Structure formats: C-alpha cells, structure tokens
Short mmCIF file of all heavy atoms in Angstrom, two decimals:
data_model
loop_
_atom_site.label_atom_id
_atom_site.label_comp_id
_atom_site.label_asym_id
_atom_site.label_seq_id
_atom_site.Cartn_x
_atom_site.Cartn_y
_atom_site.Cartn_z
N MET A 19 0.05 15.29 44.32
CA MET A 19 -0.97 15.88 43.46
C MET A 19 -0.43 16.08 42.04
O MET A 19 -1.10 15.82 41.08
CB MET A 19 -1.39 17.22 44.05
CG MET A 19 -2.58 17.83 43.38
SD MET A 19 -4.06 16.98 43.90
CE MET A 19 -5.28 18.09 43.27
N ASN A 20 0.83 16.51 41.95
CA ASN A 20 1.42 16.77 40.65
C ASN A 20 1.60 15.47 39.85
O ASN A 20 1.33 15.43 38.66
CB ASN A 20 2.75 17.49 40.83
CG ASN A 20 3.26 18.07 39.52
OD1 ASN A 20 2.52 18.17 38.57
ND2 ASN A 20 4.52 18.45 39.52
N SER A 21 2.04 14.41 40.52
CA SER A 21 2.25 13.14 39.82
C SER A 21 0.92 12.56 39.35
O SER A 21 0.86 11.91 38.30
CB SER A 21 3.00 12.16 40.71
OG SER A 21 2.19 11.81 41.82
N ASN A 22 -0.14 12.78 40.11
CA ASN A 22 -1.46 12.29 39.71
C ASN A 22 -1.92 13.02 38.45
O ASN A 22 -2.47 12.40 37.53
CB ASN A 22 -2.45 12.49 40.85
CG ASN A 22 -3.73 11.72 40.65
OD1 ASN A 22 -3.79 10.84 39.80
ND2 ASN A 22 -4.74 12.04 41.43
N HIS A 23 -1.68 14.32 38.39
CA HIS A 23 -2.05 15.10 37.22
C HIS A 23 -1.23 14.65 36.00
O HIS A 23 -1.78 14.51 34.89
CB HIS A 23 -1.82 16.58 37.49
CG HIS A 23 -2.18 17.48 36.35
ND1 HIS A 23 -3.49 17.63 35.94
CD2 HIS A 23 -1.42 18.24 35.55
CE1 HIS A 23 -3.50 18.46 34.90
NE2 HIS A 23 -2.25 18.85 34.66
N GLU A 24 0.06 14.41 36.19
CA GLU A 24 0.91 13.93 35.10
C GLU A 24 0.45 12.56 34.61
O GLU A 24 0.45 12.29 33.41
CB GLU A 24 2.36 13.86 35.55
CG GLU A 24 3.01 15.22 35.73
CD GLU A 24 4.41 15.12 36.29
OE1 GLU A 24 4.88 13.99 36.57
OE2 GLU A 24 5.05 16.17 36.46
N GLN A 25 0.04 11.74 35.54
CA GLN A 25 -0.43 10.39 35.18
C GLN A 25 -1.71 10.49 34.34
O GLN A 25 -1.87 9.75 33.36
CB GLN A 25 -0.68 9.58 36.45
CG GLN A 25 -0.74 8.09 36.22
CD GLN A 25 -0.81 7.33 37.53
OE1 GLN A 25 -1.23 7.88 38.55
NE2 GLN A 25 -0.41 6.08 37.51
N GLU A 26 -2.58 11.42 34.69
CA GLU A 26 -3.80 11.60 33.91
C GLU A 26 -3.47 12.09 32.50
O GLU A 26 -4.08 11.66 31.52
CB GLU A 26 -4.73 12.60 34.60
CG GLU A 26 -5.41 12.06 35.85
CD GLU A 26 -6.26 13.12 36.54
OE1 GLU A 26 -6.44 14.21 35.95
OE2 GLU A 26 -6.73 12.86 37.65
N GLN A 27 -2.50 12.98 32.40
CA GLN A 27 -2.09 13.47 31.08
C GLN A 27 -1.52 12.35 30.21
O GLN A 27 -1.80 12.26 29.02
CB GLN A 27 -1.07 14.59 31.22
CG GLN A 27 -1.65 15.92 31.63
CD GLN A 27 -0.59 17.01 31.70
OE1 GLN A 27 0.60 16.71 31.84
NE2 GLN A 27 -1.03 18.25 31.63
N VAL A 28 -0.73 11.49 30.85
CA VAL A 28 -0.15 10.36 30.11
C VAL A 28 -1.26 9.45 29.61
O VAL A 28 -1.25 9.00 28.46
CB VAL A 28 0.85 9.59 31.00
CG1 VAL A 28 1.25 8.27 30.36
CG2 VAL A 28 2.08 10.45 31.26
N HIS A 29 -2.26 9.19 30.46
CA HIS A 29 -3.37 8.34 30.04
C HIS A 29 -4.16 8.98 28.90
O HIS A 29 -4.57 8.29 27.96
CB HIS A 29 -4.30 8.05 31.23
CG HIS A 29 -3.77 7.00 32.16
ND1 HIS A 29 -3.57 5.69 31.78
CD2 HIS A 29 -3.38 7.07 33.45
CE1 HIS A 29 -3.09 5.00 32.79
NE2 HIS A 29 -2.96 5.82 33.84
N GLU A 30 -4.35 10.28 28.95
CA GLU A 30 -5.06 10.96 27.87
C GLU A 30 -4.28 10.87 26.56
O GLU A 30 -4.85 10.61 25.50
CB GLU A 30 -5.29 12.43 28.24
CG GLU A 30 -6.33 12.65 29.30
CD GLU A 30 -6.43 14.11 29.71
OE1 GLU A 30 -5.83 14.98 29.03
OE2 GLU A 30 -7.11 14.39 30.71
N ARG A 31 -2.98 11.05 26.64
CA ARG A 31 -2.15 10.95 25.44
C ARG A 31 -2.18 9.54 24.87
O ARG A 31 -2.25 9.34 23.65
CB ARG A 31 -0.72 11.36 25.74
CG ARG A 31 -0.54 12.85 25.95
CD ARG A 31 0.89 13.19 26.21
NE ARG A 31 1.05 14.61 26.47
CZ ARG A 31 2.18 15.17 26.84
NH1 ARG A 31 3.26 14.42 27.02
NH2 ARG A 31 2.25 16.47 27.05
N LEU A 32 -2.12 8.55 25.74
CA LEU A 32 -2.18 7.16 25.28
C LEU A 32 -3.51 6.87 24.62
O LEU A 32 -3.58 6.16 23.60
CB LEU A 32 -1.93 6.20 26.44
CG LEU A 32 -0.50 6.08 26.93
CD1 LEU A 32 -0.42 5.21 28.18
CD2 LEU A 32 0.40 5.52 25.84
N ASP A 33 -4.59 7.39 25.17
CA ASP A 33 -5.91 7.19 24.57
C ASP A 33 -5.96 7.82 23.18
O ASP A 33 -6.50 7.23 22.23
CB ASP A 33 -7.01 7.79 25.46
CG ASP A 33 -7.25 6.96 26.72
OD1 ASP A 33 -6.86 5.78 26.73
OD2 ASP A 33 -7.83 7.52 27.66
N ARG A 34 -5.41 9.03 23.05
CA ARG A 34 -5.40 9.69 21.74
C ARG A 34 -4.56 8.91 20.73
O ARG A 34 -4.94 8.75 19.56
CB ARG A 34 -4.89 11.12 21.86
CG ARG A 34 -5.99 12.07 22.34
CD ARG A 34 -5.51 13.49 22.31
NE ARG A 34 -5.04 13.80 23.66
CZ ARG A 34 -4.10 14.67 23.97
NH1 ARG A 34 -3.49 15.35 23.03
NH2 ARG A 34 -3.75 14.89 25.21
N LEU A 35 -3.41 8.41 21.18
CA LEU A 35 -2.57 7.61 20.29
C LEU A 35 -3.28 6.33 19.86
O LEU A 35 -3.20 5.92 18.70
CB LEU A 35 -1.25 7.26 20.97
CG LEU A 35 -0.18 8.34 20.98
CD1 LEU A 35 1.00 7.90 21.85
CD2 LEU A 35 0.29 8.62 19.57
N GLU A 36 -3.98 5.72 20.79
CA GLU A 36 -4.71 4.50 20.47
C GLU A 36 -5.82 4.78 19.45
O GLU A 36 -6.02 4.01 18.51
CB GLU A 36 -5.32 3.91 21.74
CG GLU A 36 -5.94 2.55 21.55
CD GLU A 36 -6.44 1.95 22.86
OE1 GLU A 36 -6.28 2.59 23.91
OE2 GLU A 36 -7.00 0.86 22.80
N GLN A 37 -6.49 5.91 19.60
CA GLN A 37 -7.53 6.28 18.63
C GLN A 37 -6.92 6.53 17.25
O GLN A 37 -7.48 6.12 16.23
CB GLN A 37 -8.27 7.53 19.11
CG GLN A 37 -9.18 7.29 20.29
CD GLN A 37 -9.80 8.58 20.83
OE1 GLN A 37 -9.45 9.66 20.37
NE2 GLN A 37 -10.68 8.45 21.80
N LYS A 38 -5.76 7.18 17.22
CA LYS A 38 -5.11 7.44 15.93
C LYS A 38 -4.69 6.13 15.27
O LYS A 38 -4.83 5.96 14.06
CB LYS A 38 -3.89 8.34 16.12
CG LYS A 38 -4.25 9.78 16.41
CD LYS A 38 -3.00 10.63 16.59
CE LYS A 38 -3.36 12.05 16.96
NZ LYS A 38 -2.16 12.88 17.17
N LEU A 39 -4.16 5.20 16.06
CA LEU A 39 -3.75 3.91 15.51
C LEU A 39 -4.96 3.14 14.97
O LEU A 39 -4.88 2.50 13.91
CB LEU A 39 -3.02 3.09 16.56
CG LEU A 39 -1.59 3.52 16.87
CD1 LEU A 39 -1.03 2.73 18.04
CD2 LEU A 39 -0.70 3.35 15.65
N ASP A 40 -6.06 3.19 15.70
CA ASP A 40 -7.28 2.54 15.22
C ASP A 40 -7.74 3.15 13.90
O ASP A 40 -8.14 2.44 12.97
CB ASP A 40 -8.39 2.64 16.26
CG ASP A 40 -8.14 1.75 17.47
OD1 ASP A 40 -7.33 0.81 17.37
OD2 ASP A 40 -8.77 2.00 18.52
N TYR A 41 -7.69 4.48 13.82
CA TYR A 41 -8.09 5.17 12.60
C TYR A 41 -7.20 4.77 11.43
O TYR A 41 -7.68 4.49 10.32
CB TYR A 41 -8.05 6.68 12.81
CG TYR A 41 -8.31 7.48 11.57
CD1 TYR A 41 -9.60 7.60 11.06
CD2 TYR A 41 -7.26 8.10 10.88
CE1 TYR A 41 -9.83 8.32 9.90
CE2 TYR A 41 -7.50 8.82 9.73
CZ TYR A 41 -8.78 8.92 9.24
OH TYR A 41 -9.01 9.63 8.10
N LEU A 42 -5.87 4.72 11.67
CA LEU A 42 -4.94 4.33 10.62
C LEU A 42 -5.16 2.88 10.18
O LEU A 42 -5.07 2.56 8.99
CB LEU A 42 -3.50 4.54 11.07
CG LEU A 42 -3.03 5.99 11.18
CD1 LEU A 42 -1.66 6.04 11.82
CD2 LEU A 42 -3.00 6.62 9.80
N ALA A 43 -5.44 2.00 11.13
CA ALA A 43 -5.69 0.60 10.79
C ALA A 43 -6.94 0.47 9.94
O ALA A 43 -6.97 -0.30 8.96
CB ALA A 43 -5.83 -0.23 12.06
N GLU A 44 -7.99 1.22 10.26
CA GLU A 44 -9.22 1.18 9.45
C GLU A 44 -8.97 1.74 8.06
O GLU A 44 -9.46 1.20 7.07
CB GLU A 44 -10.32 1.97 10.14
CG GLU A 44 -10.86 1.32 11.38
CD GLU A 44 -11.86 2.20 12.11
OE1 GLU A 44 -12.25 3.26 11.58
OE2 GLU A 44 -12.27 1.82 13.22
N ALA A 45 -8.19 2.80 7.96
CA ALA A 45 -7.90 3.40 6.65
C ALA A 45 -7.08 2.43 5.79
O ALA A 45 -7.29 2.33 4.58
CB ALA A 45 -7.14 4.71 6.83
N GLN A 46 -6.16 1.71 6.42
CA GLN A 46 -5.34 0.76 5.67
C GLN A 46 -6.19 -0.41 5.18
O GLN A 46 -6.03 -0.88 4.07
CB GLN A 46 -4.19 0.25 6.54
CG GLN A 46 -3.22 -0.63 5.77
CD GLN A 46 -2.07 -1.11 6.64
OE1 GLN A 46 -2.11 -0.97 7.86
NE2 GLN A 46 -1.07 -1.67 6.04
N GLN A 47 -7.13 -0.87 5.99
CA GLN A 47 -8.02 -1.94 5.57
C GLN A 47 -8.88 -1.51 4.39
O GLN A 47 -9.15 -2.28 3.48
CB GLN A 47 -8.93 -2.38 6.74
CG GLN A 47 -8.24 -3.17 7.82
CD GLN A 47 -7.88 -4.58 7.37
OE1 GLN A 47 -8.50 -5.12 6.47
NE2 GLN A 47 -6.87 -5.16 7.99
N ALA A 48 -9.32 -0.25 4.40
CA ALA A 48 -10.17 0.25 3.32
C ALA A 48 -9.40 0.36 2.02
O ALA A 48 -9.98 0.21 0.94
CB ALA A 48 -10.76 1.60 3.71
N ASN A 49 -8.09 0.61 2.07
CA ASN A 49 -7.29 0.80 0.87
C ASN A 49 -6.84 -0.51 0.24
O ASN A 49 -6.34 -0.51 -0.87
CB ASN A 49 -6.07 1.66 1.17
CG ASN A 49 -6.43 3.11 1.37
OD1 ASN A 49 -7.47 3.57 0.91
ND2 ASN A 49 -5.57 3.84 2.06
N ARG A 50 -7.00 -1.60 0.94
CA ARG A 50 -6.57 -2.88 0.40
C ARG A 50 -7.47 -3.31 -0.74
O ARG A 50 -8.69 -3.18 -0.67
CB ARG A 50 -6.59 -3.95 1.48
CG ARG A 50 -5.33 -3.96 2.27
CD ARG A 50 -5.12 -5.28 2.95
NE ARG A 50 -3.97 -5.13 3.82
CZ ARG A 50 -3.91 -5.59 5.03
NH1 ARG A 50 -4.91 -6.26 5.54
NH2 ARG A 50 -2.84 -5.39 5.76
N ARG A 51 -6.85 -3.86 -1.78
CA ARG A 51 -7.63 -4.35 -2.91
C ARG A 51 -8.02 -5.79 -2.68
O ARG A 51 -7.34 -6.54 -1.99
CB ARG A 51 -6.82 -4.24 -4.19
CG ARG A 51 -6.57 -2.84 -4.63
CD ARG A 51 -5.80 -2.83 -5.93
NE ARG A 51 -5.63 -1.47 -6.41
CZ ARG A 51 -4.64 -1.07 -7.15
NH1 ARG A 51 -3.71 -1.93 -7.51
NH2 ARG A 51 -4.55 0.16 -7.55
N SER A 52 -9.10 -6.17 -3.28
CA SER A 52 -9.54 -7.56 -3.17
C SER A 52 -8.57 -8.45 -3.96
O SER A 52 -7.91 -8.00 -4.90
CB SER A 52 -10.96 -7.71 -3.69
OG SER A 52 -10.99 -7.46 -5.08
N PRO A 53 -8.50 -9.73 -3.61
CA PRO A 53 -7.58 -10.64 -4.32
C PRO A 53 -7.87 -10.74 -5.81
O PRO A 53 -6.96 -10.87 -6.62
CB PRO A 53 -7.79 -11.98 -3.63
CG PRO A 53 -8.33 -11.64 -2.29
CD PRO A 53 -9.11 -10.38 -2.46
N GLY A 54 -9.15 -10.66 -6.19
CA GLY A 54 -9.49 -10.72 -7.61
C GLY A 54 -8.94 -9.55 -8.39
O GLY A 54 -8.42 -9.70 -9.50
N VAL A 55 -9.04 -8.36 -7.82
CA VAL A 55 -8.53 -7.17 -8.48
C VAL A 55 -7.01 -7.24 -8.57
O VAL A 55 -6.42 -6.91 -9.61
CB VAL A 55 -8.99 -5.89 -7.74
CG1 VAL A 55 -8.32 -4.66 -8.30
CG2 VAL A 55 -10.50 -5.76 -7.81
N ARG A 56 -6.37 -7.69 -7.50
CA ARG A 56 -4.91 -7.81 -7.53
C ARG A 56 -4.46 -8.80 -8.60
O ARG A 56 -3.47 -8.59 -9.29
CB ARG A 56 -4.39 -8.25 -6.16
CG ARG A 56 -4.44 -7.11 -5.17
CD ARG A 56 -3.98 -7.46 -3.78
NE ARG A 56 -3.07 -8.57 -3.68
CZ ARG A 56 -2.85 -9.26 -2.58
NH1 ARG A 56 -3.49 -8.94 -1.48
NH2 ARG A 56 -2.00 -10.24 -2.55
N PHE A 57 -5.21 -9.90 -8.74
CA PHE A 57 -4.88 -10.90 -9.77
C PHE A 57 -5.01 -10.29 -11.16
O PHE A 57 -4.14 -10.48 -12.02
CB PHE A 57 -5.79 -12.12 -9.63
CG PHE A 57 -5.64 -13.09 -10.77
CD1 PHE A 57 -4.55 -13.94 -10.82
CD2 PHE A 57 -6.58 -13.13 -11.78
CE1 PHE A 57 -4.40 -14.83 -11.87
CE2 PHE A 57 -6.44 -14.02 -12.83
CZ PHE A 57 -5.35 -14.87 -12.88
N LEU A 58 -6.10 -9.56 -11.40
CA LEU A 58 -6.30 -8.97 -12.72
C LEU A 58 -5.24 -7.93 -13.06
O LEU A 58 -4.76 -7.87 -14.19
CB LEU A 58 -7.70 -8.34 -12.79
CG LEU A 58 -8.87 -9.33 -12.84
CD1 LEU A 58 -10.19 -8.58 -12.81
CD2 LEU A 58 -8.78 -10.21 -14.06
N VAL A 59 -4.85 -7.13 -12.08
CA VAL A 59 -3.80 -6.13 -12.31
C VAL A 59 -2.48 -6.84 -12.63
O VAL A 59 -1.77 -6.47 -13.57
CB VAL A 59 -3.66 -5.20 -11.09
CG1 VAL A 59 -2.41 -4.33 -11.20
CG2 VAL A 59 -4.89 -4.33 -10.95
N GLY A 60 -2.14 -7.86 -11.87
CA GLY A 60 -0.91 -8.61 -12.13
C GLY A 60 -0.94 -9.28 -13.49
O GLY A 60 0.07 -9.28 -14.22
N PHE A 61 -2.08 -9.85 -13.85
CA PHE A 61 -2.22 -10.51 -15.14
C PHE A 61 -2.05 -9.51 -16.28
O PHE A 61 -1.37 -9.79 -17.28
CB PHE A 61 -3.59 -11.20 -15.23
CG PHE A 61 -3.76 -12.05 -16.45
CD1 PHE A 61 -3.09 -13.25 -16.57
CD2 PHE A 61 -4.60 -11.64 -17.47
CE1 PHE A 61 -3.25 -14.04 -17.70
CE2 PHE A 61 -4.77 -12.41 -18.60
CZ PHE A 61 -4.09 -13.62 -18.72
N ALA A 62 -2.63 -8.33 -16.14
CA ALA A 62 -2.51 -7.29 -17.17
C ALA A 62 -1.06 -6.84 -17.32
O ALA A 62 -0.57 -6.62 -18.44
CB ALA A 62 -3.41 -6.10 -16.82
N ILE A 63 -0.34 -6.73 -16.20
CA ILE A 63 1.07 -6.34 -16.27
C ILE A 63 1.90 -7.40 -16.98
O ILE A 63 2.75 -7.08 -17.82
CB ILE A 63 1.62 -6.06 -14.84
CG1 ILE A 63 0.97 -4.78 -14.29
CG2 ILE A 63 3.13 -5.94 -14.85
CD1 ILE A 63 1.28 -4.52 -12.84
N VAL A 64 1.63 -8.67 -16.69
CA VAL A 64 2.36 -9.76 -17.34
C VAL A 64 2.09 -9.75 -18.85
O VAL A 64 3.01 -9.90 -19.66
CB VAL A 64 1.98 -11.13 -16.72
CG1 VAL A 64 2.48 -12.28 -17.56
CG2 VAL A 64 2.54 -11.23 -15.31
N ILE A 65 0.83 -9.58 -19.24
CA ILE A 65 0.48 -9.54 -20.66
C ILE A 65 1.19 -8.37 -21.35
O ILE A 65 1.71 -8.51 -22.46
CB ILE A 65 -1.05 -9.43 -20.84
CG1 ILE A 65 -1.74 -10.71 -20.34
CG2 ILE A 65 -1.43 -9.15 -22.29
CD1 ILE A 65 -1.37 -11.95 -21.12
N ALA A 66 1.23 -7.21 -20.69
CA ALA A 66 1.89 -6.04 -21.27
C ALA A 66 3.39 -6.29 -21.45
O ALA A 66 3.96 -5.94 -22.50
CB ALA A 66 1.66 -4.81 -20.39
N VAL A 67 4.03 -6.91 -20.46
CA VAL A 67 5.47 -7.19 -20.57
C VAL A 67 5.73 -8.18 -21.70
O VAL A 67 6.68 -8.00 -22.49
CB VAL A 67 6.01 -7.71 -19.22
CG1 VAL A 67 7.42 -8.27 -19.37
CG2 VAL A 67 5.99 -6.60 -18.18
N VAL A 68 4.92 -9.22 -21.80
CA VAL A 68 5.10 -10.21 -22.87
C VAL A 68 4.90 -9.55 -24.23
O VAL A 68 5.66 -9.80 -25.18
CB VAL A 68 4.13 -11.40 -22.67
CG1 VAL A 68 4.08 -12.28 -23.91
CG2 VAL A 68 4.54 -12.20 -21.46
N PHE A 69 3.90 -8.68 -24.35
CA PHE A 69 3.65 -7.98 -25.61
C PHE A 69 4.84 -7.11 -26.01
O PHE A 69 5.26 -7.11 -27.17
CB PHE A 69 2.38 -7.13 -25.48
CG PHE A 69 2.05 -6.36 -26.72
CD1 PHE A 69 1.51 -7.00 -27.83
CD2 PHE A 69 2.30 -5.00 -26.78
CE1 PHE A 69 1.22 -6.29 -28.98
CE2 PHE A 69 2.01 -4.28 -27.92
CZ PHE A 69 1.46 -4.93 -29.03
N ILE A 70 5.39 -6.40 -25.04
CA ILE A 70 6.56 -5.54 -25.33
C ILE A 70 7.76 -6.40 -25.75
O ILE A 70 8.47 -6.05 -26.70
CB ILE A 70 6.89 -4.66 -24.11
CG1 ILE A 70 5.78 -3.62 -23.93
CG2 ILE A 70 8.24 -3.98 -24.27
CD1 ILE A 70 5.88 -2.84 -22.64
N LEU A 71 7.98 -7.52 -25.06
CA LEU A 71 9.10 -8.40 -25.45
C LEU A 71 8.91 -8.94 -26.86
O LEU A 71 9.87 -9.00 -27.65
CB LEU A 71 9.23 -9.54 -24.45
CG LEU A 71 9.85 -9.19 -23.10
CD1 LEU A 71 9.79 -10.39 -22.17
CD2 LEU A 71 11.28 -8.72 -23.27
N MET A 72 7.69 -9.35 -27.20
CA MET A 72 7.43 -9.85 -28.55
C MET A 72 7.65 -8.76 -29.59
O MET A 72 8.19 -9.02 -30.68
CB MET A 72 6.01 -10.41 -28.65
CG MET A 72 5.80 -11.71 -27.90
SD MET A 72 4.10 -12.26 -27.87
CE MET A 72 3.71 -12.35 -29.59
N LEU A 73 7.25 -7.56 -29.28
CA LEU A 73 7.45 -6.44 -30.19
C LEU A 73 8.93 -6.17 -30.41
O LEU A 73 9.39 -5.98 -31.55
CB LEU A 73 6.75 -5.20 -29.62
CG LEU A 73 6.67 -3.98 -30.52
CD1 LEU A 73 5.78 -4.28 -31.72
CD2 LEU A 73 6.13 -2.79 -29.75
N VAL A 74 9.71 -6.18 -29.34
CA VAL A 74 11.15 -5.94 -29.45
C VAL A 74 11.81 -7.05 -30.26
O VAL A 74 12.65 -6.78 -31.13
CB VAL A 74 11.78 -5.81 -28.05
CG1 VAL A 74 13.30 -5.85 -28.13
CG2 VAL A 74 11.31 -4.53 -27.38
N ILE A 75 11.43 -8.29 -30.00
CA ILE A 75 12.01 -9.41 -30.75
C ILE A 75 11.66 -9.29 -32.23
O ILE A 75 12.48 -9.53 -33.12
CB ILE A 75 11.54 -10.75 -30.16
CG1 ILE A 75 12.19 -10.97 -28.80
CG2 ILE A 75 11.85 -11.91 -31.10
CD1 ILE A 75 11.64 -12.15 -28.03
N GLY A 76 10.40 -8.90 -32.53
CA GLY A 76 9.99 -8.73 -33.93
C GLY A 76 10.78 -7.64 -34.61
O GLY A 76 11.19 -7.79 -35.78
N ILE A 77 11.01 -6.53 -33.94
CA ILE A 77 11.79 -5.43 -34.53
C ILE A 77 13.22 -5.87 -34.78
O ILE A 77 13.80 -5.60 -35.84
CB ILE A 77 11.73 -4.19 -33.62
CG1 ILE A 77 10.31 -3.60 -33.63
CG2 ILE A 77 12.74 -3.14 -34.05
CD1 ILE A 77 10.08 -2.51 -32.61
N ILE A 78 13.80 -6.59 -33.83
CA ILE A 78 15.19 -7.07 -33.99
C ILE A 78 15.27 -8.03 -35.18
O ILE A 78 16.19 -7.94 -36.01
CB ILE A 78 15.69 -7.73 -32.70
CG1 ILE A 78 15.87 -6.67 -31.60
CG2 ILE A 78 16.98 -8.50 -32.94
CD1 ILE A 78 16.18 -7.25 -30.25
N GLN A 79 14.31 -8.96 -35.31
CA GLN A 79 14.33 -9.89 -36.43
C GLN A 79 14.14 -9.17 -37.76
O GLN A 79 14.75 -9.53 -38.77
CB GLN A 79 13.23 -10.94 -36.25
CG GLN A 79 13.58 -11.99 -35.24
CD GLN A 79 12.51 -13.08 -35.16
OE1 GLN A 79 11.41 -12.90 -35.64
NE2 GLN A 79 12.86 -14.19 -34.53
N PHE A 80 13.29 -8.16 -37.77
CA PHE A 80 13.05 -7.41 -39.01
C PHE A 80 14.33 -6.75 -39.50
O PHE A 80 14.67 -6.81 -40.68
CB PHE A 80 11.95 -6.37 -38.77
CG PHE A 80 11.69 -5.49 -39.96
CD1 PHE A 80 10.99 -5.97 -41.05
CD2 PHE A 80 12.16 -4.19 -39.97
CE1 PHE A 80 10.76 -5.16 -42.14
CE2 PHE A 80 11.94 -3.37 -41.05
CZ PHE A 80 11.23 -3.85 -42.15
N PHE A 81 15.03 -6.09 -38.58
CA PHE A 81 16.24 -5.38 -38.99
C PHE A 81 17.38 -6.34 -39.27
O PHE A 81 18.22 -6.07 -40.13
CB PHE A 81 16.65 -4.36 -37.93
CG PHE A 81 15.83 -3.09 -37.99
CD1 PHE A 81 15.00 -2.74 -36.96
CD2 PHE A 81 15.89 -2.26 -39.10
CE1 PHE A 81 14.23 -1.59 -37.01
CE2 PHE A 81 15.13 -1.12 -39.17
CZ PHE A 81 14.30 -0.78 -38.12
N SER A 82 17.44 -7.47 -38.60
CA SER A 82 18.53 -8.40 -38.85
C SER A 82 18.33 -9.14 -40.16
O SER A 82 19.29 -9.47 -40.86
CB SER A 82 18.68 -9.39 -37.70
OG SER A 82 17.55 -10.23 -37.64
N SER A 83 17.10 -9.41 -40.56
CA SER A 83 16.87 -10.10 -41.82
C SER A 83 16.90 -9.14 -43.00
O SER A 83 17.13 -9.55 -44.14
CB SER A 83 15.51 -10.83 -41.80
OG SER A 83 14.45 -9.89 -41.72
N GLY A 84 16.66 -7.87 -42.74
CA GLY A 84 16.68 -6.87 -43.80
C GLY A 84 18.08 -6.57 -44.30
O GLY A 84 18.27 -6.13 -45.41
N GLY A 85 19.06 -6.78 -43.47
CA GLY A 85 20.44 -6.45 -43.86
C GLY A 85 21.02 -7.53 -44.67
O GLY A 85 21.55 -7.50 -45.71
#
C-alpha cells in the first residue's frame, strides 16, 4: 500500500514538472524575435560600429595632421 502511494506521488510530481517545462517552452517561444527584427538589430549594430570607427579615424587624422 505504501509503495503504491509513493508511486502516485512520483507520477503527480512528474506531471507537475512536465507542465512547468511546457510553460517554460511556450514562454521561450514567445520571447524569440522574428528573423527580420534580428537582422535589423544586427544591421544597426554594424552601422554604429562602423560610424564609431570612422569617427575615431577622423579624430586621429585631425590631430596627426595638426601637429
């Protein structure tokens, strides 16, 4: 009788864990960005990095030619 009760508890715990995993999987799917948005974010980051590099190169050239 005791082992049957323990077995039922184990099954209940497994069911709860399975529900939690399903919930987490759904939440992760909802947080994913679409490929278009990911592309635009990446493109904006690349443009920002190139702009900063051009700015730094311009400042270096300005000070090197000024001396």
Side-chain angles (χ1 to χ4, degrees):
M19 189 76 168
N20 193 15
S21 66
N22 194 14
H23 181 67
E24 289 175 358
Q25 198 173 23
E26 287 177 9
Q27 284 182 338
V28 169
H29 282 296
E30 288 175 10
R31 287 181 182 174
L32 286 174
D33 287 341
R34 279 186 264 151
L35 280 173
E36 188 176 359
Q37 288 174 354
K38 287 180 183 179
L39 285 174
D40 288 341
Y41 174 75
L42 288 172
E44 289 174 8
Q46 186 179 12
Q47 287 288 336
N49 287 338
R50 274 202 187 137
R51 291 182 176 152
S52 66
V55 172
R56 285 178 26 200
F57 172 77
L58 289 176
V59 169
F61 187 72
I63 291 172
V64 168
I65 294 296
V67 168
V68 168
F69 179 75
I70 291 171
L71 285 174
M72 289 174 57
L73 189 66
V74 168
I75 290 172
I77 291 171
I78 291 172
Q79 283 184 344
F80 176 76
F81 281 114
S82 66
S83 66

